[in-house]
Amino acid sequence: MKTLWLLVLSLVIFGCTTFGTKNTKVDANVICIWGTQQFDLCQYKTQEQMIDALLLVMNLDEKIGQMTQSIWHNNVSPEIVRDKRIGSIIHTEGPTPGPNAMDWVNKFNEFQASALQTRLGIPLLIAVDAVHGQNTFEGAVIFPHNIGMAATRNMSLIKHAAQITALEVAGTGFNWTFSPCIAMPQHEHWGRVYEGYTEDRDLTTAAVIASVQGHQGTSLAHRDTVAATAKHFIGDGATDGGVEGGNAIMTDQVMREHYLPPYTAAVNEGVASIMVGFNSYNGHNMHQHTHLVTDVLKGELGFEGVVVSDWNGGLRFGDPHTVINAGIDIAMQPGNHNEFMAKLKASVLDQTVPMSRIDDAVRRILTMKFNLGLFSDPFAKKEFAKSVGSPAHRAVARQAVRESLVLLKSDNDALPLSSSDSIAVIGKHGNNSGLQSGGWSIHWQGQTENYRGATTIYDGIKAQGMHVEYAEQGCYPDMLASKAVVVVGEFPYAEALGDSDELWLSDAHKKLITGCKSLGKKVIVILISGRVLAISEDLDKSDAFIAAWLPGSEGAGVADFLFATNGFKPTGKSPYSWPVAVTDIPLAPNADHELFKFGYGLQDY
């Protein structure tokens, strides 16, 4: 690290100027001299003048580099970032920089140092899909997925969780997160239901405001904030049949009344970026939808930030000009940046893509980098590395867990548990932090093993009960426990691999419930799932039933709920309506034949 900082000091001298963001005005020390050309920013008085000056001296390759994002471990190295003038990198599934937060900070600082060695030394955006905490780093706090956060109905808690996520994202070397997802899923077959908050427009709108405020604070230039991303614009959760990347069919009136307001709120909050979806809108792919991206989002809503593609978005749907001309500013290219950059350059040279479109994109990107304070201090905020996974952060996530649980049934004095009860925790999900966390947890598709720093549901119950056993295979004759906490549900999934027609408990999990009931136990079912399922039969065979969603790393929060710790009473309310049968899906929010209505949740045991 000493060598790295000597490099920086050799490249820069410090000056001071004043510049503003959309939300606030900040005084910041701006590094004056940049890159091997020794470009002097301090000869200009305002941020806008600095950006104009950079645009004036940038060549086409440098501009296209700013519009390109690649994966740091996939055909990219610090040297390639320098030589190709790539403006943005991401971390995703694959190798990690190491087991410790400082390993990540040091690795991404290497990439940043290389970016500073380019002709103009423009710093990097370094991004991650931190969608429920810094979920790519083993040892970070992983919050409940958004479906659970919405169940809390606690906007201050959603904001606080985003603030902690920002600290842990910054503390592992990043300055940009692809969160929050503000899809309003309408179809439980979709494998990304849990990434959205709810099917309800107004609750989604409130949640996105809280999340953006938490991630970005009052200024992106503050050290404890990161850039947020509202995604996936627009209608990603409304595709026909709930198919990932499918076609969302609706009238413009429905789009404007139901799906656009959360994005309007995000723009009004100054969200730094918006990611377009893989889906189509009435047959027209969103990555190529000039009217919705340029005319509506940038024009009508006045969005001044960066529009980023989804995975391989610059090439997935055809030549780059089709998405760049539609209004995409940064293309996420996983290891195929050379092809994207070459094809985009050819399209500019033959005037298929006007230079004005390139300049607009680069201006937005540079503005985001200035607003993040990267022209003042481009390196990772290593002071936050020590707080990643801290007890204070875990306490907030534990609160989020207990407030997110929705009590669907409570009979026969099964709840709350007492520390003197004889209790059995049943099922693999009951003692496995990977299973309780779902997709986007350590790995893209999640994992089926425990991970560092997390507590399982069994861990939490054992810490509060005096007579607790764990029986993965189910209840058995002569079992001493009188109460069985049966933990069942879905196995982790993400994106297209999560699309499913089997929206019910497996036969093996049903057997865990009936097996305990047949032995005379009081059965408390904990359902781990990323969406509502058809549970009518299982509900009938239980004494208490709790929708726990995907609680994340703090399984002890489930125990707090079960034991009514410190006088806790259930607060969670369902963010979705529940079907009686799978054939009822998709279920209208106010249908007459619901098992449970939107907002249902018992508020006492």
Side-chain angles (χ1 to χ4, degrees):
M1 286 300 291
K2 183 178 180 182
T3 302
L4 181 64
W5 288 108
L6 286 174
L7 168 66
V8 177
L9 290 173
S10 70
L11 290 175
V12 301
I13 59 176
F14 289 88
C16 183
T17 189
T18 300
F19 56 86
T21 68
K22 186 177 181 71
N23 292 329
T24 186
K25 229 177 187 180
V26 288
D27 291 320
N29 291 319
V30 175
I31 297 171
C32 290
I33 306 301
W34 287 87
T36 59
Q37 184 174 303
Q38 301 284 287
F39 186 79
D40 184 7
L41 281 179
C42 291
Q43 62 186 300
Y44 307 102
K45 294 182 179 181
T46 67
Q47 175 178 317
E48 184 177 1
Q49 290 174 352
M50 293 176 189
I51 293 171
D52 286 341
L54 284 169
L55 277 170
L56 190 63
V57 299
M58 290 174 75
N59 61 42
L60 180 57
D61 288 333
E62 289 167 331
K63 291 177 180 180
I64 290 175
Q66 288 300 305
M67 298 171 67
T68 305
Q69 181 178 78
S70 199
I71 302 173
W72 71 271
H73 56 72
N74 190 356
N75 294 327
V76 178
S77 65
E79 292 73 26
I80 289 174
V81 164
R82 180 192 64 209
D83 295 343
K84 293 291 185 179
R85 284 86 80 195
I86 290 172
S88 176
I89 59 172
I90 57 171
H91 171 73
T92 185
E93 182 68 27
T96 69
N100 302 313
M102 280 306 300
D103 296 327
W104 292 50
V105 166
N106 292 338
K107 174 58 69 176
F108 295 129
N109 276 348
E110 288 179 23
F111 279 87
Q112 192 66 274
S114 281
L116 299 182
Q117 294 177 62
T118 58
R119 186 174 72 96
L120 296 174
I122 298 172
L124 281 173
L125 293 168
I126 304 174
V128 65
D129 275 293
V131 299
H132 62 139
Q134 211 310 45
N135 45 261
T136 69
F137 178 79
E138 186 167 4
V141 173
I142 297 184
F143 286 90
H145 267 295
N146 282 349
I147 190 172
M149 296 303 291
T152 70
R153 299 301 200 274
N154 187 338
M155 296 306 117
S156 64
L157 182 58
I158 291 175
K159 180 178 178 179
H160 197 180
Q163 290 171 325
I164 289 171
T165 298
L167 289 174
E168 300 207 354
V169 165
T172 45
F174 301 94
N175 48 45
W176 186 11
T177 180
F178 296 141
S179 179
C181 177
I182 58 174
M184 286 175 283
Q186 304 298 308
H187 210 304
E188 279 70 25
H189 291 86
W190 192 40
R192 308 187 77 161
V193 169
Y194 63 82
E195 291 188 53
Y197 290 102
T198 169
E199 62 192 0
D200 181 72
R201 179 198 64 188
D202 294 341
L203 181 53
T204 297
T205 300
V208 70
I209 291 171
S211 180
V212 171
Q213 289 177 348
H215 283 107
Q216 297 192 170
T218 58
S219 171
L220 286 175
H222 293 166
R223 296 185 66 81
D224 58 353
T225 61
V226 297
T229 305
K231 65 182 188 183
H232 307 85
F233 187 78
I234 188 171
D236 54 331
T239 60
D240 189 26
V243 174
E244 168 62 12
N247 189 22
I249 303 171
M250 67 185 77
T251 65
D252 281 358
Q253 181 179 354
V254 168
M255 180 273 291
R256 289 179 173 277
E257 292 181 354
H258 191 70
Y259 294 94
L260 197 59
Y263 284 98
T264 302
V267 170
N268 290 341
E269 288 300 321
V271 70
S273 66
I274 289 177
M275 183 183 291
V276 289
F278 282 146
N279 62 289
S280 296
Y281 176 82
N282 294 330
H284 192 166
N285 181 267
M286 280 306 307
H287 275 67
Q288 300 168 317
H289 209 304
T290 306
H291 173 64
L292 287 178
V293 175
T294 296
D295 299 339
V296 175
L297 177 60
K298 290 182 172 181
E300 185 178 322
L301 269 59
F303 178 58
E304 298 177 352
V306 170
V307 176
V308 62
S309 83
D310 208 331
W311 186 265
N312 195 30
L315 292 169
R316 174 171 174 166
F317 304 103
D319 286 340
H321 72 264
T322 64
V323 299
I324 299 304
N325 279 341
I328 308 300
D329 302 309
I330 293 179
M332 186 191 303
Q333 299 310 127
N336 58 358
H337 52 270
N338 284 336
E339 180 184 1
F340 168 78
M341 296 168 79
K343 288 185 173 180
L344 179 56
K345 182 176 182 179
S347 293
V348 177
L349 293 176
D350 69 14
Q351 299 184 355
T352 303
V353 177
M355 186 58 73
S356 60
R357 173 76 274 271
I358 299 296
D359 286 347
D360 172 63
V362 177
R363 180 181 298 278
R364 290 167 180 271
I365 295 163
L366 292 176
T367 299
M368 181 170 163
K369 292 181 176 185
F370 270 99
N371 289 348
L372 277 166
L374 298 182
F375 282 89
S376 304
D377 181 3
F379 289 98
K381 312 304 187 290
K382 63 181 181 179
E383 69 267 28
F384 299 124
K386 62 181 180 294
S387 71
V388 176
S390 68
H393 291 179
R394 293 192 183 280
V396 177
R398 183 170 175 170
Q399 176 191 352
V401 172
R402 63 177 175 260
E403 291 190 22
S404 71
L405 305 190
V406 177
L407 185 59
L408 299 176
K409 179 181 180 180
S410 185
D411 292 341
N412 304 322
D413 296 320
L415 291 175
L417 299 179
S418 167
S419 61
S420 60
D421 285 337
S422 183
I423 303 164
V425 177
I426 308 298
K428 188 174 182 179
H429 280 66
N431 195 27
N432 189 302
S433 57
L435 294 182
Q436 75 192 27
S437 299
W440 295 105
S441 300
I442 312 305
H443 295 285
W444 170 46
Q445 291 289 331
Q447 63 180 43
T448 57
E449 301 84 29
N450 288 319
Y451 57 88
R452 178 162 53 99
T455 57
T456 69
I457 294 169
Y458 170 63
D459 291 334
I461 293 173
K462 188 177 181 181
Q464 297 203 41
M466 295 185 293
H467 312 288
V468 181
E469 68 168 299
Y470 173 59
E472 180 179 321
Q473 301 304 317
C475 294
Y476 56 87
D478 302 323
M479 176 180 272
L480 294 178
S482 60
K483 293 184 177 181
V485 178
V486 183
V487 190
V488 295
E490 297 186 299
F491 284 80
Y493 55 80
E495 295 194 54
L497 297 182
D499 289 2
S500 177
D501 293 325
E502 298 181 4
L503 302 178
W504 54 81
L505 291 181
S506 68
D507 290 342
H509 281 184
K510 289 177 178 290
K511 188 176 179 181
L512 291 178
I513 298 171
T514 57
C516 291
K517 192 64 178 175
S518 67
L519 291 172
K521 312 300 181 186
K522 289 187 178 180
V523 175
I524 300 125
V525 175
I526 306 290
L527 176 63
I528 303 294
S529 69
R531 50 195 159 193
V532 300
L533 302 177
I535 57 168
S536 295
E537 294 180 358
D538 315 300
L539 196 73
D540 291 340
K541 295 170 183 174
S542 66
D543 296 288
F545 202 106
I546 299 158
W549 316 112
L550 299 169
S553 62
E554 307 311 303
V558 177
D560 292 340
F561 181 100
L562 296 174
F563 284 91
T565 304
N566 296 324
F568 177 81
K569 292 289 184 72
T571 60
K573 297 179 180 180
S574 181
Y576 289 87
S577 50
W578 290 71
V580 174
V582 173
T583 53
D584 295 330
I585 296 172
L587 186 66
N590 297 307
D592 294 331
H593 58 290
E594 297 162 324
L595 180 65
F596 298 111
K597 290 186 178 296
F598 168 83
Y600 179 84
L602 299 175
Q603 303 294 285
D604 204 344
Y605 302 98

